[in-house]
Amino acid sequence: MPLKEEVRRQQAAIFSELADSWEQKQAEIIIYQKLINSNLWQNAKTIGLTLSNPGEFDTQPLIGLANAVGKRVVVPRTRPARKMDFCQLTPQTPLVLTKFGVYEPDEQIAAVNKEQIDLLVVPGLAFSAAGDRIGFGGGFYDRFLADYRGIVVSCAEPKRFFAEKNWASEDTDQLIANVLTVSGWFGTNSQRGEKR
Ligand SMILES: Nc1nc2c(c(=O)[nH]1)N(C=O)[C@@H](CNc1ccc(C(=O)N[C@@H](CCC(=O)O)C(=O)O)cc1)CN2
Ligand SMILES: Nc1ncnc2c1ncn2[C@@H]1O[C@H](COP(=O)(O)OP(=O)(O)OP(=O)(O)O)[C@@H](O)[C@H]1O
């Protein structure tokens, strides 16, 4: 089995080519509809999202949809030792570009307690039906999820989704409970294919 690093490289090449393609956008639109119609989304008052970069699942519509119905959106800020915290995102939140090429809230913004995040949308390059995940290789989400008790969802367009993982896992990998695809829900949550 290839290592995560090899699959990460392959996936990154695929998404750099497909970024902003209509093929990707159509898949994203199907997933937005399924997500916002789910109880997981509708019951969440505070939602953790990322400020996605080209080639990632596009979170901008989700930020707008959440704000439009009065939900609080929080986004990650990286800390030393590969930790992260989450801060409220408003149109006024000052953002800085990190050396990793990701925007995050400025240092002065207060962090929100992780217990207050009802739903966390976790990014990644590849997800399996069993809930395996390959992220960008920092281990930030693995560390954050280790003691996170809220609901976890990842959005996987067809190119991000693998019926069977074809990479070797590490002990620190955190499984994703709810993997949302164009054809429904997967992940460790057992209500497979049903509305969640
Ligand atoms: N949009 C978005 N935001 C996000 C994430 C993400 O996946 N997507 N993250 C998901 O985790 C966190 C940041 N993730 C990171 C993942 C890897 C490295 C990393 O590999 N750093 C290398 C090289 C840094 C460099 O190029 O200078 C290193 O630290 O050695 C850094 C941050 C938080 N914000
Ligand atoms: N809880 C942890 N404690 C110590 N090391 C960890 C922990 N979680 C992950 N790591 C280490 O961090 C490194 C990167 O992890 P991994 O490749 O799983 O990142 P990723 O999940 O793809 O990235 P990200 O979560 O940032 O998107 C690995 O070497 C992994 O062993």
Side-chain angles (χ1 to χ4, degrees), residues 1-2 8 25 53 56 61-62 70 90 92 104 114 129 142 144-145 149 171 173 194:
M1 237 191 258
R8 185 177 286 127
K25 287 193 185 302
N53 273 339
E56 294 191 291
L62 292 177
T90 72
Q92 287 75 40
E104 61 181 36
K114 81 197 284 182
D142 287 335
F144 189 86
L145 291 174
R149 297 289 162 252
D171 292 344
D173 288 351
E194 287 169 33

Side-chain angles (χ1 to χ4, degrees), residues 4 8 133 135-143 170 172-173:
K4 281 201 288 185
R8 185 177 286 127
R133 163 180 177 269
F136 284 83
F140 288 90
Y141 275 93
D142 287 335
R143 282 179 181 78
E170 292 175 83
T172 47
D173 288 351

Side-chain angles (χ1 to χ4, degrees), residues 26 49 55 63 75 100 150 160 188:
Q26 286 181 303
L49 285 161
I63 292 169
V75 296
F100 315 126
R160 235 176 266 277
T188 59

Side-chain angles (χ1 to χ4, degrees), residues 2 12 16 32 44 51 65 67 81 133 140 144 148 152 155 178 182 190:
S16 80
Y32 299 145
L51 296 166
L65 287 162
N67 283 158
R133 163 180 177 269
F140 288 90
F144 189 86
Y148 174 69
V152 175
C155 297
N178 303 288
V182 294
S190 57

Side-chain angles (χ1 to χ4, degrees), residues 23-105:
E23 183 189 349
Q24 283 296 96
K25 287 193 185 302
Q26 286 181 303
E28 286 169 342
I29 289 166
I30 294 169
I31 292 172
Y32 299 145
Q33 287 174 345
K34 289 190 193 291
L35 182 60
I36 67 170
N37 284 314
S38 71
N39 292 322
L40 302 187
W41 176 272
Q42 289 179 7
N43 293 338
K45 293 194 173 69
T46 298
I47 302 182
L49 285 161
T50 54
L51 296 166
S52 58
N53 273 339
E56 294 191 291
F57 182 87
D58 186 2
T59 58
Q60 188 194 318
L62 292 177
I63 292 169
L65 287 162
N67 283 158
V69 293
K71 296 179 189 295
R72 175 167 66 164
V73 170
V74 297
V75 296
R77 175 173 60 189
T78 53
R79 315 301 300 166
R82 311 213 148 207
K83 293 214 166 102
M84 41 178 198
D85 56 16
F86 283 78
C87 303
Q88 181 167 5
L89 179 74
T90 72
Q92 287 75 40
T93 303
L95 300 174
V96 294
L97 184 60
T98 66
K99 63 173 180 174
F100 315 126
V102 172
Y103 282 92
E104 61 181 36

